[in-house]
Amino acid sequence: MSGLIPESFIESLLERIDIIDVVGARVPLKPAGHEFKACCPFHDEKTPSFYVSPQKQFYHCFGCGAHGTAVGFVMQYDGLEFPAAIEELAGQVGMDVPRTGGEASGARKREQEPLFDALEAAQNFFRAQLRKDPAAQRYLAERGLDERTLDEFGVGRAPDAWSALVDRLIEKGHKAVDLEKAGLAGRARNGNWIDKFRNRIMFPIRDRRGRVIAFGGRALGDDGPKYLNSAETPVFHKGRELYRLFEVRRGGLPERLLVVEGYMDAAALYQFGFEDAVATLGTAVTSDHLELMFRATSVVVFCFDGDSAGRRAAWKGLEAALPAMKSNREVRFLFLPDGEDPDSLVRSEGRDAFAARLDSAVPLSSFLFDELARPLDLTTLDGRARLVAQAEPLLGRLPAGPFADLMADELERRAGHAGDWRPQPAAQGPKRQASDRSLTPVQYAVAILVQHPELAADLDRDRLDGPGALKGVDFLVQLIDFCASRPNVSTALVLEHWRDRPEGRYLAELAARDLAGRAEQLGPALVESLDRIRIQRIRVRVAELQRRQAAEGLTPEQADELRHWLKHRTAGPSGN
C-alpha cells in the first residue's frame, strides 16, 4: 500500500467502485456466465481469454497472465502510477484522496504541489490577460478561432512585458524559485526574474489527470521562435505527454485519434468537428506516445506534411508504432499537399473534404512497403531481395500475432519471399482449468479465502493449531484475521492490502484459480482444509521426534510428546 494514501481510504474506495464499470469503459465486455469476457487489451489474441469477475472485483487473462483489481487495471491500461490510479478512481465516485506519511513520496509531492499551483495560477493569469487585450482577440478572430474553441482550449495571452507574470504571482505568494522550476520564469543577465513567455498566445498543456503541467506559446511578434514550449520540469516530460489527450478522453474513449503537430492545427480541427485531435509537443513520436494513444483508442491517424520532412517524420512515427502493432490496433498516415497544414487545409477545403482525406489515409502496412520499394526495381530479383533485406529488421519489431503474420504474407506477395524474421510468441500464462489437486492444503485454504474472504467471519482459527512448523500457515493466519476483521471485505481489498508485499503475486494467482464446487460448498471445504493442515502439522512434529529418537534418543518429556501426537495424528481439533 502507498505510504501516502491511508489503507482505510483504499478500502472505502474499493467498496464504492465496480470493476465492471472501470474495465467496461475501456474494453468492450460480453457476459460469460457469472463473469464478463473480452479479448485481452494487454496482448494480441483472437479468442477472448480475458475475464472480469464482479463477485471478486478482479480481472485475469488466461492467455498472458495479466491480473489485478480495478486499481491494477487502471495502472496497467492507463499507464498511471499507484497514487494517480487511486486519484483517477476516486474522482469517478466523488471522493477526495487524503494523504499521510511516506517520506520519499511525500518529499516529491511537497516539491510538485507548488509547481502545480503556480502553473494553474499562470493559466488563470493568461486567460484574464486575453479577455482585456483587443489586439490579441482580433488576431485569434483573424485565425478563425471562435469563443467556444478558445474556451475549450483555455487559450490565453502572455503580455508583451518582461515580468508581468512573475510580478503577479510573487505578489500572490508564489516563490520565484518555484516559478523557475515550473518553467515559467528565469533570470535575466542583471539577476532579475523575468517571464519565460512574453507576447505570445498561450495554450495550456494538461496531464492525464487534467492538471496544467506546461504551456505552448505562439509568438505574436517577431522575437524568438514562432512556437515555444515549456522546458522539461519535475512535472512535465514532453516525450511522455500528448497535447489534449486529457480533453479528448474526458468525453469517453474515442473511436480514433488524429495526431497533428501544432496547437493551432488541433484547435482548427476541433472547430470543424474533429474533436479527436491531439498533438505531439515538439518531439518525434515515441513508443510511450503510442502506448498512451492505444490505451485510448484502437485507431491512430498521423497527419503530416507531404514534403520530405513530413515523410521523414512519418517514418519515425512508423518505427515507433511497430512494437505496439497488434491485430486490434490500426495506424494510418495522412499526407497533406505541399504548403498546407491541417489548420489551413480544413479551412480552405471544409469539413467534408478533410473527412474524405482521413478516410483515404494510408495504412501502416502500405506506407512501410511502398516507402521501402520506392527506390527499388521490383521487376528484378535483386530489387525484390533488397526489399526483403530492408523489411526484415523492421518487421522483426512486430509482436507475434495475426498482424505480424499478415505482414509476412504481404512481404511474400511483393517480393516472392517472406524472409527469415519471425517474432517470438508471448509466453502463455496459466490455463483456465487448473486442478485443485495441485494445491497443498494451505494453498487451497488461501485460494478459498482470497476468492471468498467473507468465509473468514465464521471460521474457527483454532482448527489450525498444531505442534509442527508448516510453510504458509503464519500467512494463512494473517489472512484469516484480516478478512474476519472487515465486514465488507472483498477479493480486491485483499489483493490491494498485499499489493507490494511478497505474498501479493501468490494471492493474485490463487484468486484466478477455478475452484471445484459451488460457492456454498467452499465453506465446508475450507474447514476441512484447516483440519488437514492441523493433521499435517502433527505429522511434521511426529516425524521430527522420530528422527531425533533414531539419532540421539529422546528425553522423557519428548517421549511423552511423541506418544501423545501418535494418538492424534489423524484426529481433528476435538481429539487434542
Side-chain angles (χ1 to χ4, degrees), residues 246-395:
F246 166 75
E247 288 85 352
V248 172
R249 289 197 60 166
R250 186 175 54 194
L253 298 182
E255 292 185 5
R256 71 175 179 200
L257 284 175
L258 177 58
V259 185
V260 297
E261 293 186 270
Y263 310 105
M264 297 297 285
D265 293 330
L269 290 175
Y270 173 87
Q271 191 164 307
F272 277 78
F274 301 98
E275 300 182 2
D276 48 10
V278 299
T280 54
L281 296 165
T283 65
V285 177
T286 66
S287 58
D288 286 338
H289 287 144
L290 265 298
E291 285 301 327
L292 281 176
M293 287 186 267
F294 280 131
R295 289 179 187 131
T297 186
S298 58
V299 180
V300 174
V301 182
F302 288 106
C303 188
F304 291 101
D305 294 344
D307 57 14
S308 58
R311 299 192 82 85
R312 285 194 300 271
W315 189 256
K316 289 180 180 178
L318 177 145
E319 290 182 314
L322 288 173
M325 291 305 298
K326 303 174 182 178
S327 59
N328 60 340
R329 297 174 173 181
E330 184 178 356
V331 171
R332 302 177 74 88
F333 296 87
L334 172 61
F335 294 102
L336 305 183
D338 285 347
E340 298 280 8
D341 56 31
D343 181 7
S344 62
L345 192 60
V346 75
R347 294 185 187 282
S348 62
E349 288 190 342
R351 172 182 167 77
D352 292 345
F354 194 85
R357 288 183 181 274
L358 287 175
D359 291 340
S360 61
V362 179
L364 178 146
S365 56
S366 298
F367 178 48
L368 184 148
F369 289 118
D370 290 348
E371 199 71 8
L372 291 179
R374 190 185 302 274
L376 306 177
D377 182 358
L378 297 187
T379 65
T380 68
L381 183 149
D382 304 65
R384 294 195 297 274
R386 287 181 63 194
L387 176 61
V388 173
Q390 292 180 29
E392 279 191 300
L394 293 167
L395 300 182

Side-chain angles (χ1 to χ4, degrees), residues 15 36 47 50 53 74 161 165 207 211 227 235 255 264 300 318 335 350 376 418 446 503 544 549 570:
E15 290 173 12
F36 290 80
T47 303
F50 179 84
S53 168
V74 170
L165 175 66
D207 66 9
R211 299 173 298 188
Y227 282 98
V235 298
E255 292 185 5
M264 297 297 285
V300 174
L318 177 145
F335 294 102
L376 306 177
V446 171
E503 302 87 355
E544 180 184 316
Q549 184 181 44
T570 60

Side-chain angles (χ1 to χ4, degrees), residues 496-557:
E496 287 304 328
H497 179 77
W498 271 279
R499 165 183 289 280
D500 297 321
R501 307 183 193 187
E503 302 87 355
R505 182 175 179 181
Y506 161 66
L507 278 172
E509 290 174 355
L510 292 176
R513 283 270 182 163
D514 269 350
L515 299 178
R518 297 186 300 273
E520 59 269 21
Q521 297 173 316
L522 293 176
L526 176 58
V527 172
E528 182 182 341
S529 287
L530 299 193
D531 290 343
R532 291 171 62 197
I533 292 167
R534 180 177 184 278
I535 291 170
Q536 281 189 329
R537 298 186 71 178
I538 293 172
R539 288 174 177 170
V540 166
R541 180 57 175 163
V542 166
E544 180 184 316
L545 290 169
Q546 288 175 333
R547 285 193 300 271
R548 182 173 297 181
Q549 184 181 44
E552 59 191 59
L554 299 175
T555 66
E557 293 79 8

Side-chain angles (χ1 to χ4, degrees), residues 88-167:
E88 169 76 14
L89 292 170
Q92 292 180 19
V93 293
M95 297 176 71
D96 294 323
V97 181
R99 301 280 180 169
T100 62
E103 289 187 10
S105 298
R108 184 168 61 252
K109 184 171 185 291
R110 286 192 296 273
E111 178 191 14
Q112 292 181 348
E113 271 191 344
L115 310 190
F116 287 125
D117 291 344
L119 289 158
E120 190 63 37
Q123 166 63 4
N124 294 334
F125 174 82
F126 293 142
R127 289 285 285 158
Q129 292 297 309
L130 178 61
R131 285 192 288 269
K132 55 187 181 183
D133 188 333
Q137 293 172 19
R138 281 196 300 273
Y139 167 80
L140 291 169
E142 290 167 1
R143 291 296 303 264
L145 298 182
D146 58 23
E147 285 297 323
R148 172 177 169 269
T149 303
L150 296 179
D151 289 342
E152 168 67 19
F153 280 67
V155 179
R157 162 78 156 114
D160 187 10
W162 283 104
S163 60
L165 175 66
V166 169
D167 294 343

